């Protein structure tokens, strides 16, 4: 790994491109797996299922990877500005590659208009991660941000169950509580910690203003989505079409029920 790090650091853009292509290969391989009938019968559900399958692989991989790095190297949590290891740098390369691949999949399949919030999110993440890779700053911060992928596992499972019309299953019922727990512990808490760190150290951080604005936009998005999630899963009003994020939705909007 030590020998690989200089190669990654000297060609971060190429490294991200390679990782993106690897996720595209995973996308093709995952299409060979069986798909529920409800998914096969609808073009949008079919595309979304394939897209989510890759997202699930990314979340399982990077969420576990990020937590492992922090357990082994706890300094990651305190020295967000400059600390990183070869494995943490590689993790950010891998994750950036996924977001590039996913944004490309959304755009090239014609779902950009209905998924503009995803694209906005991906654009902010890609820009922040690329900044970290090229400057070798905030690698630890990017790694901590990937804690949210632990929650993404339950979010993706939630939507996949909805796409398959399994909303009444015991698995969906259990997952909605697991989703609530991981949302608070790994998504809201992570965002709160990173926002606090930026505000507390704003006076000396490189490009602190940009990262503060980015975090605030992210915070608004996740709080609105949390409200929609609670309303859809715990205080449902009526049944409607499954949207992009697995909430009840007639317009396929990211922040809808």
């Amino acid at each position: 790994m030590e020998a690989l790090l200089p190669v990654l650091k000297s060609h971060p853009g190429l490294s991200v491109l390679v990782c993106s292509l690897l996720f595209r290969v995973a996308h093709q391989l995952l299409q060979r797996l069986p798909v529920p009938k409800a998914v096969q019968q609808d073009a949008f559900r079919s595309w979304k299922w394939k897209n989510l399958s890759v997202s699930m692989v990314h979340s399982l991989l990077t969420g576990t990877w990020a937590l492992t790095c922090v357990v082994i190297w706890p300094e990651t949590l305190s020295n967000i500005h400059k600390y990183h290891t070869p494995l943490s740098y590689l993790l950010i390369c891998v994750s950036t590659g996924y977001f590039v691949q996913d944004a490309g999949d959304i755009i090239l399949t014609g779902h950009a208009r209905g998924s503009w919030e995803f694209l906005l999110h991906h654009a902010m993440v890609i820009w922040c991660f690329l900044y970290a890779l090229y400057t070798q700053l905030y690698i630890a911060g990017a790694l901590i941000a990937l804690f949210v992928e632990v929650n993404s596992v339950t979010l993706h499972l939630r939507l996949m169950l909805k796409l398959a019309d399994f909303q009444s299953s015991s698995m969906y019922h259990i997952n909605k509580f697991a989703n609530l727990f991981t949302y608070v512990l790994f998504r809201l808490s992570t965002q709160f910690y990173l926002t606090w760190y930026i505000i507390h150290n704003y006076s000396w951080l490189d490009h602190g203003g940009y990262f503060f604005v980015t975090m605030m936009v992210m915070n608004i998005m996740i709080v609105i989505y949390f409200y929609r999630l609670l309303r859809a899963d715990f205080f449902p009003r009526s049944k409607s079409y499954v949207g992009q994020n697995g909430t009840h939705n007639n317009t396929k909007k990211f922040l809808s029920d």
Side-chain angles (χ1 to χ4, degrees):
M1 184 56 66
E2 293 290 344
L4 178 62
L5 186 60
V7 178
L8 295 175
K9 288 185 174 181
S10 60
H11 304 286
L14 181 60
S15 302
V16 168
L17 179 60
V18 170
C19 292
S20 180
L21 292 175
L22 289 175
F23 274 107
R24 196 61 194 172
V25 171
H27 180 277
Q28 296 300 317
L29 293 175
L30 289 168
Q31 291 189 36
R32 300 181 181 182
L33 298 177
V35 177
K37 289 183 179 180
V39 174
Q40 295 176 355
Q41 296 170 356
D42 183 272
F44 169 73
R45 291 187 184 213
S46 180
W47 167 76
K48 191 60 182 177
W49 183 275
K50 296 173 185 177
N51 179 271
L52 275 173
S53 298
V54 182
S55 298
M56 180 67 86
V57 170
H58 170 259
S59 295
L60 288 169
L61 174 65
T62 60
T64 304
W65 193 338
L67 290 176
T68 302
C69 283
V70 168
V71 170
I72 299 175
W73 299 288
E75 187 180 346
T76 302
L77 290 173
S78 57
N79 191 357
I80 290 177
H81 184 238
K82 290 186 177 180
Y83 184 77
H84 70 275
T85 66
L87 273 177
S88 61
Y89 192 92
L90 177 60
L91 169 59
I92 305 309
C93 286
V94 170
S95 190
T96 308
Y98 159 75
F99 285 110
V100 170
Q101 184 279 148
D102 195 55
D105 183 56
I106 292 172
I107 294 170
L108 296 177
T109 54
H111 293 91
R113 185 175 181 180
S115 305
W116 68 268
E117 292 90 351
F118 276 112
L119 293 177
L120 174 61
H121 169 270
H122 287 9
M124 291 189 293
V125 171
I126 290 169
W127 175 251
C128 289
F129 281 16
L130 284 178
Y131 176 94
L133 292 174
Y134 275 98
T135 64
Q136 297 172 35
L137 298 173
Y138 302 110
I139 295 293
L143 183 147
I144 293 170
L146 288 173
F147 283 5
V148 303
E149 294 302 326
V150 176
N151 170 245
S152 292
V153 172
T154 56
L155 279 176
H156 297 330
L157 179 58
R158 173 181 182 271
L159 177 50
M160 295 179 86
L161 291 170
K162 278 180 169 283
L163 292 172
D165 286 337
F166 289 162
Q167 296 97 314
S168 300
S169 67
S170 57
M171 182 179 291
Y172 185 89
H173 183 73
I174 294 171
N175 183 73
K176 75 177 184 180
F177 287 100
N179 189 34
L180 180 64
F181 175 75
T182 58
Y183 203 104
V184 173
L185 183 62
F186 291 103
R187 192 172 295 272
L188 292 177
S189 298
T190 297
Q191 290 290 125
F192 174 81
Y193 177 69
L194 290 175
T195 302
W196 171 85
Y197 183 90
I198 292 173
I199 294 174
H200 187 70
N201 301 283
Y202 183 82
S203 61
W204 60 267
L205 288 177
D206 295 284
H207 297 93
Y210 168 75
F211 288 105
F212 175 74
V213 171
T214 301
M215 288 302 299
M216 292 309 296
V217 173
M218 290 279 198
N219 290 343
I220 292 171
M221 291 178 70
I222 69 167
V223 169
I224 292 175
Y225 182 61
F226 188 53
Y227 164 73
R228 300 286 188 180
L229 193 66
L230 288 174
R231 191 176 69 177
D233 271 358
F234 296 94
F235 307 99
R237 292 183 298 180
S238 60
K239 294 184 178 180
S240 53
Y241 185 74
V242 60
Q244 292 276 23
N245 65 334
T247 57
H248 295 299
N249 191 316
N250 289 318
T251 58
K252 304 179 183 179
K253 295 287 186 178
F254 176 66
L255 297 177
S256 298
D257 289 353

